[in-house]
Amino acid sequence: MIGFIIRRLLQAVPLIIGVSLIAFALMHLAPGGPLAVYTLNPTIQAQDIERIKIIFGLDQPLHVQYVKWAAGMFSGNWGNSFFGGRPVLDIILERFPATLILMGSALSVAIILGLGVGILGAVKRYSIFDTLATSGALVALSFPTFWFGLMAIFIFALNLRWLPSGGMYEFGEEGNILSLLRHLVLPTMVLALVITATWSRYTRSAFLEVMNQDFMRTARAKGEPQSARLFRHAFPNAAKPLIALLGVELPFLFSGALVTETIFGWPGMGRLFVDSLNMKEYPILMGLMMFTALFVILGNLVADIAIAAMDPRVRL
């Protein structure tokens, strides 16, 4: 198992380098480049921009800039923001807990509901429940996340006035758990909707495939109750593709969090990304892309290790 983990870690290294190369090139080849924010300011003269170039090392060849940036990133120095000059890593880590709360809540809700709906749909195949669940999943997958967000605000915040429309706390209630939970409901519901639909479809397919296997028919012939067949025999065999799906879902979860945080004014990494994009804060954008890439790679690594622990053949 240790050898498998080491191999997977070594395989992640070129992936991280490749992501950093692409992200760095895109940032510096984008129209205007990292100094676009200064060229739009009429009070800044050409000589000022040249001086800023030297300060940030942007006058050096691109490959030299990348090597210096990569060396700094791996040593914990992710550079400073253009506005305020604060360390990029500190800014990202300040926003990470809010995103982690939102993603963790949405993923937990999606897994619980998706597993429940998917298993029930497989057991009651072609029933009214299965038809409604399938139709609901298709509707959830057909509409964009921002549409569900706007509808949730319109119905639950503006018309019914049950829940707040945005933010993380009421003004003056920072740190209040009840205030946090009230603000968490709508963004969690919206972010979990599409993931729940995906999970329910995959769970239904995985359980249907397992339930048609010989060992399930043998268990049924022995007179085992349905609940025992499902959770003792079917679930362990159906869990492997679902764990793999969890790793694949992480990038979509991040992209969904970006949209959801922007709509609901949630002070997480997604909102920071949009704000940084509007302000052309390239150091923060680079940091966010690398942080997200590392998080997704780590999530996939954990999923691979979990699958390898369940099935020793994967380690070969």
Side-chain angles (χ1 to χ4, degrees):
M1 190 65 178
I2 294 175
F4 173 79
I5 295 173
I6 292 174
R7 283 201 306 274
R8 292 292 291 111
L9 285 172
L10 291 176
Q11 289 171 0
V13 173
L15 185 60
I16 294 171
I17 295 173
V19 170
S20 66
L21 273 170
I22 293 172
F24 193 85
L26 287 176
M27 283 293 152
H28 286 73
L29 296 177
L35 295 178
V37 65
Y38 295 107
T39 58
L40 298 176
N41 190 337
T43 63
I44 296 182
Q45 305 298 319
Q47 58 269 29
D48 298 325
I49 293 178
E50 289 301 319
R51 191 167 61 253
I52 294 171
K53 271 187 180 178
I54 296 172
I55 292 173
F56 287 106
L58 298 174
D59 59 325
Q60 298 174 349
L62 195 59
H63 66 278
V64 175
Q65 293 181 45
Y66 172 76
V67 171
K68 287 186 176 180
W69 173 84
M73 192 197 75
F74 287 109
S75 65
N77 178 15
W78 290 28
N80 297 323
S81 65
F82 286 157
F83 295 96
R86 294 187 60 206
V88 169
L89 190 56
D90 290 354
I91 296 173
I92 293 174
L93 291 179
E94 283 177 4
R95 299 295 192 99
F96 181 61
T99 296
L100 196 61
I101 290 172
L102 178 59
M103 287 178 52
S105 305
L107 193 59
S108 302
V109 170
I111 290 175
I112 293 171
L113 291 180
L115 282 176
V117 172
I119 293 173
L120 203 55
V123 173
K124 299 182 179 299
R125 184 172 35 168
Y126 306 135
S127 65
I128 295 177
F129 174 82
D130 187 32
T131 304
L132 290 175
T134 302
S135 304
L138 291 176
V139 170
L141 292 170
S142 301
F143 286 84
T145 304
F146 74 86
W147 186 85
F148 289 115
L150 295 177
M151 287 298 102
I153 292 174
F154 179 73
I155 295 172
F156 297 105
L158 298 181
N159 282 287
L160 299 176
R161 298 181 182 279
W162 288 352
L163 295 164
S165 60
M168 194 169 175
Y169 296 100
E170 295 292 345
F171 182 73
E173 293 186 354
E174 287 77 10
N176 186 314
I177 297 297
L178 291 178
S179 181
L180 171 65
L181 292 176
R182 289 187 71 245
H183 287 76
L184 190 59
V185 173
L186 285 185
T188 296
M189 191 171 67
V190 170
L191 185 57
L193 190 61
V194 176
I195 309 170
T196 301
T198 307
W199 266 80
S200 67
R201 302 307 301 150
Y202 273 90
T203 302
R204 180 182 181 277
S205 301
F207 269 78
L208 281 177
E209 184 178 348
V210 173
M211 287 167 68
N212 290 323
Q213 299 293 321
D214 290 338
F215 65 90
M216 290 296 293
R217 282 191 282 270
T218 303
R220 190 184 307 120
K222 287 181 178 177
E224 287 194 33
Q226 189 178 58
S227 58
R229 294 200 306 271
L230 284 175
F231 294 101
R232 187 183 302 166
H233 302 297
F235 190 79
N237 289 281
K240 282 182 286 185
L242 296 178
I243 292 174
L245 174 66
L246 185 62
V248 176
E249 280 287 315
L250 279 176
F252 297 101
L253 193 60
F254 260 113
S255 61
L258 188 150
V259 176
T260 308
E261 288 181 5
T262 304
I263 293 173
F264 289 96
W266 190 262
M269 290 169 54
R271 188 177 168 191
L272 176 64
F273 185 89
V274 174
D275 292 342
S276 302
L277 195 61
N278 291 330
M279 298 172 66
K280 302 189 186 307
E281 270 278 18
Y282 286 91
I284 298 179
L285 290 173
M286 273 300 301
L288 283 170
M289 283 194 285
M290 289 310 302
F291 193 90
T292 304
L294 290 171
F295 190 82
V296 171
I297 290 170
L298 181 63
N300 278 276
L301 179 63
V302 172
D304 288 346
I305 292 172
I307 293 172
M310 296 175 65
D311 187 355
R313 293 173 297 177
V314 177
R315 304 175 209 164
L316 299 176

